[in-house]
């Protein structure tokens, strides 16, 4: 299973002082050396961590695919279509959230139409279009209808559940949705809240192409360095 490393929080530390360090490109290159199969960054409307300039440089500096998360509102869609990263994952975004809170609500006609329009534009620019969704069959059907190449399934319920029965229930829905979405020929990725301690069962799910993991790896990197932190996550996934 592939590992996508989200390096947003390297930029969070940099932006805390509006400084030039820690250097994001060094973090990306060291993540690649540690075994990252792709690098993810989230260009948020408030630019709280990743900036346009980061994406422009990452696009030329990386030898692995670049995945950019954006909301389809605002100017970000136009920007990514000019820069042309390998993949774009459309996510919902609210200004007050600490991190992405849930998948796209494709059941809303307004959200569906805006998403389908964005997917069309991304695909016309040769960018793989992915939609961040909750593990529900109806959402998979709507993602397909919107023309997406891929879905990223939100693992938040699994990663944030506290009782064993809730974890089992959340895991079961991830198993079912991975099978359902792959039968529909969608690329299936997963992410949100995955850590060194909870990733193994997720890494055993068949039909999942890539896991996107950010906070836990950057947190580990504070103590071990980012190359080693990525290697440690790679090992958890490979030995699952
Ligand atoms: N996938 C999506 C769509 C996200 O928005 C995020 C958080 O930026 C992640 C994966 C990674 O989540 P985490 O930082 O909890 O590993």
């Amino acid at each position: 299973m592939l590992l996508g490393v989200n390096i947003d929080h390297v930029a969070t530390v940099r932006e805390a002082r509006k400084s030039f360090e820690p250097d994001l490109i060094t973090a990306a290159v060291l993540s690649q050396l540690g075994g990252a199969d792709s690098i993810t960054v989230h260009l948020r409307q408030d630019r709280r961590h990743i900036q346009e300039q980061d994406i422009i440089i990452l696009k030329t500096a990386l030898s692995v695919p670049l995945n950019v998360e954006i909301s389809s509102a605002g100017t970000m869609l136009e920007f990514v279509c000019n820069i042309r990263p390998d993949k774009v994952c459309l996510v919902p975004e609210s200004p007050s959230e600490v991190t992405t809170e849930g998948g796209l609500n494709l059941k809303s006609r307004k959200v569906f139409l805006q998403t389908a329009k964005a997917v069309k534009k991304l695909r016309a620019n040769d960018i793989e279009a992915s939609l961040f969704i909750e593990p529900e069959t109806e959402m998979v059907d709507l993602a397909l209808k919107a023309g997406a190449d891929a879905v990223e399934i939100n693992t938040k319920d699994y990663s944030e559940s506290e009782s064993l029965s809730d974890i089992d229930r959340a895991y079961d829905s991830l198993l079912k949705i991975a099978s359902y979405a792959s039968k529909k020929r969608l690329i299936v990725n997963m992410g949100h809240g995955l850590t060194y301690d909870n990733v193994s069962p997720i890494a055993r799910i068949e039909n999942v192409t890539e896991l996107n993991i950010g906070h836990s790896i950057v947190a580990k990197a504070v103590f071990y360095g980012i190359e080693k932190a990525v290697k440690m996550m790679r090992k958890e996934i490979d030995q699952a």
Side-chain angles (χ1 to χ4, degrees):
M1 191 175 289
L2 302 176
L3 169 61
V5 176
N6 180 318
I7 55 172
D8 288 350
H9 294 311
V10 175
T12 301
V13 176
R14 181 192 65 191
E15 294 303 310
R17 287 293 174 95
K18 300 282 173 216
S19 166
F20 54 86
E21 60 180 5
D23 179 55
L24 193 78
I25 310 306
T26 306
V29 170
L30 291 173
S31 296
Q32 277 181 186
L33 288 174
D37 297 295
S38 69
I39 297 294
T40 296
V41 289
H42 185 171
L43 183 66
R44 301 187 71 101
Q45 294 204 57
D46 61 10
R47 309 294 193 268
R48 68 174 75 154
H49 37 55
I50 299 299
Q51 311 294 315
E52 277 94 338
Q53 192 61 19
D54 294 324
I55 296 175
I56 292 168
I57 301 173
L58 281 171
K59 169 77 169 91
T60 54
L62 289 180
S63 51
V64 294
L66 174 63
N67 175 37
V68 181
E69 292 174 8
I70 55 162
S71 146
S72 56
T75 58
M76 286 91 73
L77 182 65
E78 205 56 48
F79 171 75
V80 290
C81 286
N82 285 332
I83 301 300
R84 294 188 178 199
D86 304 270
K87 315 176 202 190
V88 164
C89 181
L90 296 173
V91 298
E93 197 176 297
S94 86
S96 57
E97 69 188 9
V98 173
T99 182
T100 313
E101 281 170 350
L104 290 162
N105 179 15
L106 298 172
K107 290 177 200 168
S108 144
R109 184 149 179 80
K110 188 174 165 219
V111 174
F112 177 82
L113 291 175
Q114 190 175 335
T115 304
K117 201 170 156 200
V119 165
K120 197 171 171 197
K121 195 167 163 82
L122 291 170
R123 298 193 79 226
N125 282 283
D126 286 331
I127 301 167
E128 182 183 296
S130 178
L131 303 182
F132 186 54
I133 58 166
E134 294 302 311
E136 296 167 22
T137 52
E138 192 181 350
M139 289 301 176
V140 171
D141 292 342
L142 288 166
L144 206 60
K145 199 170 161 196
D149 301 290
V151 284
E152 181 169 329
I153 310 291
N154 188 3
T155 50
K156 188 178 172 192
D157 280 350
Y158 165 81
S159 61
E160 290 186 3
S161 288
E162 286 178 3
S163 73
L164 281 178
S165 60
D166 285 349
I167 295 171
D168 280 351
R169 204 172 305 122
Y171 185 65
D172 200 45
S173 57
L174 293 174
L175 282 177
K176 286 188 182 130
I177 213 71
S179 158
Y180 184 80
S182 72
K183 277 190 193 127
K184 304 257 172 183
R185 302 196 176 279
L186 283 164
I187 298 166
V188 184
N189 304 317
M190 287 189 180
H192 216 287
L194 297 177
T195 68
Y196 296 84
D197 294 329
N198 69 17
V199 76
S200 295
I202 301 293
R204 289 195 289 269
I205 300 178
E206 280 178 38
N207 306 310
V208 176
T209 300
E210 188 168 62
L211 301 181
N212 278 316
I213 309 180
H215 184 266
S216 186
I217 292 176
V218 176
K220 183 77 85 186
V222 170
F223 301 108
Y224 293 92
I226 199 158
E227 184 177 346
K228 179 136 188 239
V230 174
K231 263 189 193 142
M232 290 164 85
M233 186 60 84
R234 248 280 49 105
K235 196 169 163 200
E236 292 296 331
I237 293 171
D238 292 344
Q239 294 182 351

